[in-house]
Amino acid sequence: MAELKVGESLKEVQLDPVDRITLIKYAGASGDYNPIHTIDEEAKKVGLPGIIAHGMWTMGNLGKLFTEFYEEGFIQDYTIRFKGMVFLNDVVTLQAELAEENENILTFHVRAVNQNGNEVIKGDILYHRYAS
């Protein structure tokens, strides 16, 4: 990451298509058992076309953008806005662009987009690089 310049992007990460079993597992891991994430009929009762992914599942996946850099530093803070829903079979792509570098604190604009290019999440991640 040392050679990354402001305005440049990290390598995109494309997630596997969203499937029901992933959302059921996430419900168990997170304790978020809201049935709109796992039961089609319940999602339809509230006006959704079908189940939707947990927003926090999508947000948590943004950390995958930094996996190869965890020996160099850590994610210090997230600021996220949820922009859209993620449905079954959606293919989400994660993106990060270096917006600012202030000594060991790097600010990245991050976003997740679906297969149609629609933003589902956007925000900022502060990455703290260890002092060398």
Side-chain angles (χ1 to χ4, degrees):
M1 187 180 296
E3 63 280 348
L4 195 66
K5 306 268 188 275
V6 171
E8 295 180 338
S9 298
L10 296 178
K11 183 176 144 193
E12 290 185 350
V13 173
Q14 187 177 79
L15 304 177
D16 290 335
V18 177
D19 63 358
R20 187 179 308 272
I21 195 69
T22 297
L23 300 182
I24 290 169
K25 288 177 181 178
Y26 185 82
S30 68
D32 182 350
Y33 295 104
N34 187 326
I36 66 170
H37 301 303
T38 55
I39 303 170
D40 292 304
E41 296 77 22
E42 295 299 316
K44 289 177 182 173
K45 281 183 188 176
V46 298
L48 297 169
I51 65 173
I52 60 171
H54 305 74
M56 296 303 287
W57 174 83
T58 310
M59 179 180 158
N61 273 301
L62 285 169
K64 291 179 178 179
L65 289 160
F66 297 87
T67 300
E68 66 182 279
F69 305 110
Y70 286 139
E71 290 185 8
E72 298 176 35
F74 59 93
I75 293 175
Q76 179 175 320
D77 198 14
Y78 268 80
T79 305
I80 298 295
R81 282 191 56 210
F82 297 100
K83 304 281 288 174
M85 291 180 257
V86 175
F87 297 96
L88 278 183
N89 302 312
D90 277 0
V91 176
V92 176
T93 301
L94 311 171
Q95 302 168 337
E97 178 185 303
L98 181 58
E100 184 179 336
E101 185 173 0
N102 187 1
E103 294 186 20
N104 290 334
I105 305 297
L106 285 70
T107 301
F108 287 87
H109 293 319
V110 294
R111 67 188 208 136
V113 297
N114 66 16
Q115 65 279 1
N116 299 318
N118 297 324
E119 280 186 337
V120 295
I121 281 183
K122 72 181 248 180
D124 294 313
I125 287 181
L126 294 181
Y127 176 85
H128 185 109
R129 187 171 42 209
Y130 299 128
S132 47

